[in-house]
Amino acid sequence: MTADEIVPQIAVVIVNYNTADETAASIASVLAMTRTPTEIVVVDNGSRDGSVETLRARFPEIAVVDAGENLGFAAGVNRGVAHTTAPWVLLLNPDTVVLDGAIDALLAYARAHPEHRVYGGRTVRPDGSTDPSSCWGAMSLWSLACFATGLSTAFKRSRIFDPESLGSWQRDSVREVPIITGCLLLISREDWTLLGGMDETYFLYGEDADFSARAWEHGMRPVIVPSATIIHAVGGSTASSGRKMSMVMAGKATVLRRRWHPAAAAIGIALLQVGTAVRALPAGARGRRGTTWQVVWGHRRAWRTGYPASRPALFGDAPAEPTTRTTDIPLGGKS
C-alpha cells in the first residue's frame, strides 16, 4: 500500500491564533510521535503573525483553513472538523507537545473500550509535573459555595472543599470524569455529529463543559486514559491571567445560564461574584493593584452576563488573549 492509499483514522484539529511557533511544534510532534494514519487540520482565527503562510510552508501535507476572522474556539473547532473525513476526531491545543505513542494509545483504548465514547489523556508541564487541566469536575451549588467562601483556595485540591479540581488525583489512573477539556479530546465522528459539535454560543472557555454535559446526557462516559500523555505549556503574566480568568468566568456564567434552572443559575452567578470579591478585596486593602482577581472583579459586569453578550467587552476587535484554549482553569485553580 502506498502512502497515498493510507486512509487516515484520526483527524487532529488545532485552532491557532497568533501562535505559529507553538502550533508548528505541536504539529511536528504529532507527525513524529504518531503511527496511526492521521490528517491534521489547523483553523487559523485571523492571526496577524503570518501563521497561515508559515504553517502552509512548513507542513504542506496538512490543511490550514484561513477563517479570516476570530471565530473563537468552539466555532473554530467545528470549522476544522467539517474539513476532515477520518472516523475519529481529536481536538488538540496548539501549546502542546505529543509524546511518543500518546495518540496511538488513546485510540487503542477507545477501540478496546467503546462504552466510554469520549476520551481524554494526561497532561504534564514541561518539567514533568502534573498539569491537571485535561479534565475537571462539574460545577455544583456546593462547589460554587466553596468558591464564594474561599474554601476552594484554602483547601486547594481537596475532594470536599475544592471538588471541581477532582482532588489530589494526578490523572495517572483510568477514571471517568465529568468534564474532558478541549486540550486533548478524542471522539468518534459519529458521536461528534450526534452531539452537534461544540456549542458556538461559547466564544472561549465553557464549551467543553457544555460538550461533556451533553455527552453524559447521551449515555457517554468520558474517561481519562493516562497512557495518552502530552506536554502542555502553562503560564502567563498576572495581567494576562486576570484577562484569562475573566474569560473563564464568562464561560462558567454561560454554562450556568444555558444549563441550569434560572433560579439556580442566578444563585450560581451570585456566588461567582462573591468569590471574586473575597479574593480581590484583601489585595486592594493592602494597596496592591492589578492582581488577577482585581482584574476579574473589574470585569464582573461583562462576564456575569455570559456569552454572547460578554464577548465585546472582554475581547473587542483585537483580543489580547489567544482564542485557542491555551489553558483551562477551575474556580479554585488560582488564588
Side-chain angles (χ1 to χ4, degrees), residues 246-259:
S246 297
M247 299 167 194
V248 171
M249 299 295 263
K252 288 182 175 291
T254 310
V255 171
L256 293 173
R257 291 185 183 279
R258 290 181 66 79
R259 302 204 57 83

Side-chain angles (χ1 to χ4, degrees), residues 5 35 47-48 78 101 136 147 185 226 246 314 323 326:
E5 295 172 320
R35 295 160 185 82
S47 294
R48 302 167 184 172
N78 289 345
W136 298 119
F147 174 70
L185 185 153
S246 297
L314 292 180
T323 53
T326 55

Side-chain angles (χ1 to χ4, degrees), residues 31-44:
L31 294 173
M33 300 298 183
T34 307
R35 295 160 185 82
T36 304
T38 64
E39 57 177 328
I40 301 176
V41 174
V42 174
V43 176
D44 184 77

